[in-house]
Amino acid sequence: MAKIIQGKQIARDLCEKVANEASTFRREHDLAPGLAVVLVGDNPASEVYVRQKVIECDKAGIHSEKYRLPHVTLEAELLGLIARLNRDPKVHGILVQLPLPDHIDPSKVLDAIAPDKDVDGFHPVNVGRLSTGSDGLTPCTPLGCMMLIDTVIDELRGKHAVVIGKSNIVGKPVALLLLERECTVTVTHIATLGLPDIVRRADIVVVAAGAPRLVRGDWIKPGAVVIDVGITRKDGPGGKALLVGDCAANEMDHAGAVTPVPGGVGPMTIACLLSNTLKAARRSVHG
Ligand code: GUN
């Protein structure tokens, strides 16, 4: 049987570590690490994510401010809020929840966030730092994926990692992180021809395609580690919402280790957000 990577517990441990370190930071600087979360419009999934982010900040002793703006908010108004948060010394991290309404250009908004407050790691400066292997703020979900992989593989060097998905939020940054650790990385996506045969050669599979049950059991080499970033909401029995990953979870017995959905990568994203906020706060006082 494949080992189940207990993301929920690993995330809880990381949140506890951040909470301890945040408490030391508060004592030393008479200031709590602070995160501003901005939500525009009323995407129900985003509302759930933002609520969870604020709850976890409170638990970890991180000051949080939530800005809930109506769908009709103008791009210029949002840019004005970001400019204000960039100058606010109580705010060390700024997160604008995606997706934004269609009339707002997300790249304009992300570019406006001060790179040292960009706890999502989406600003071009942080993307550049990640691609050159210099220290910056790294996107939370990819960081969480790496932490989970590190719980089951001692040495990543030389391992063949196959990433399925080419998004700026997960696919591209996780590929860069794996490359930095000297994996041989193949980046694929939903249009890749011969995808099953490519995945069959992988020691590590990270799938973030948003395609439920895309990865089948016979794509997975025995002993491979499978990190499933997919979360698709489906109607389950009795009208209950069911979360489905990008892997056919019931076909993964011969894998070495797999992340469950839910309770795998998801909780790590928020834990890494707290960790990035603390990192940004430390850098703001230590340079
Ligand atoms: N929407 C989905 N994932 C993310 C994320 O990691 N950060 C932000 N800001 N929005 C998201």
Side-chain angles (χ1 to χ4, degrees):
M1 279 301 272
K3 178 185 162 75
I4 306 296
I5 303 175
Q6 302 293 348
K8 220 172 173 169
Q9 185 56 46
I10 298 163
R12 220 178 273 144
D13 294 346
L14 177 58
C15 287
E16 203 176 302
K17 178 171 172 279
V18 172
N20 285 330
E21 294 178 9
S23 150
T24 308
F25 183 92
R26 281 198 308 278
R27 218 174 327 108
E28 286 177 354
H29 303 285
D30 200 22
L31 173 72
L35 174 69
V37 183
V38 182
L39 173 61
V40 187
D42 34 36
N43 179 315
S46 291
E47 289 194 34
V48 174
Y49 292 140
V50 165
R51 200 175 324 130
Q52 283 170 343
K53 286 169 185 176
V54 170
I55 291 172
E56 291 304 323
C57 278
D58 289 346
K59 282 204 251 169
I62 290 177
H63 162 74
S64 68
E65 299 175 3
K66 182 168 156 186
Y67 294 85
R68 214 174 174 297
L69 307 180
H71 180 89
V72 294
T73 301
L74 299 175
E75 188 179 88
E77 292 174 297
L78 179 56
L79 293 174
L81 171 61
I82 291 170
R84 195 147 53 76
L85 295 171
N86 281 342
R87 290 191 299 269
D88 187 339
K90 292 195 304 301
V91 170
H92 304 104
I94 302 169
L95 180 146
V96 178
Q97 187 67 29
L98 301 175
L100 288 165
D102 287 344
H103 63 280
I104 300 180
D105 177 356
S107 65
K108 247 193 203 162
V109 172
L110 299 178
D111 289 6
I113 298 173
D116 291 339
K117 295 193 177 189
D118 168 38
V119 283
D120 258 328
F122 295 162
H123 190 284
V125 165
N126 284 315
V127 175
R129 285 174 180 154
L130 177 62
S131 71
T132 55
S134 60
D135 192 28
L137 289 162
T138 306
C140 303
T141 303
L143 209 50
C145 291
M146 296 305 292
M147 287 182 186
L148 296 181
I149 293 169
D150 279 330
T151 66
V152 287
I153 302 181
D154 287 335
E155 177 60 275
L156 293 190
R157 184 162 200 257
K159 296 274 195 301
H160 185 194
V162 172
V163 176
I164 311 174
K166 59 173 182 58
S167 72
N168 293 332
I169 297 182
V170 186
K172 287 182 211 166
V174 85
L176 289 169
L177 288 170
L178 288 159
L179 189 60
E180 197 55 35
R181 298 283 298 276
E182 295 183 282
C183 287
T184 301
V185 183
T186 306
V187 185
T188 68
H189 44 79
I190 212 76
T192 298
L193 298 177
L195 183 59
D197 276 338
I198 297 171
V199 176
R200 281 185 189 109
R201 296 203 295 271
D203 304 304
I204 301 164
V205 181
V206 180
V207 54
R213 293 176 65 83
L214 169 74
V215 177
R216 310 305 305 227
D218 68 351
W219 297 20
I220 299 298
K221 181 163 85 173
V225 170
V226 182
I227 305 295
D228 189 347
V229 188
I231 314 178
T232 302
R233 213 169 278 269
K234 291 234 157 151
D235 287 335
K240 266 186 72 177
L242 200 64
L243 296 178
V244 187
D246 286 354
C247 293
N250 58 325
E251 298 175 6
M252 297 291 151
D253 284 357
H254 60 293
V258 298
T259 58
V261 176
V265 176
M268 292 302 290
T269 299
I270 296 186
C272 289
L273 173 66
L274 303 187
S275 173
N276 273 354
T277 303
L278 177 63
K279 182 175 178 179
R282 282 181 171 148
R283 285 160 67 118
S284 78
V285 294
H286 297 124

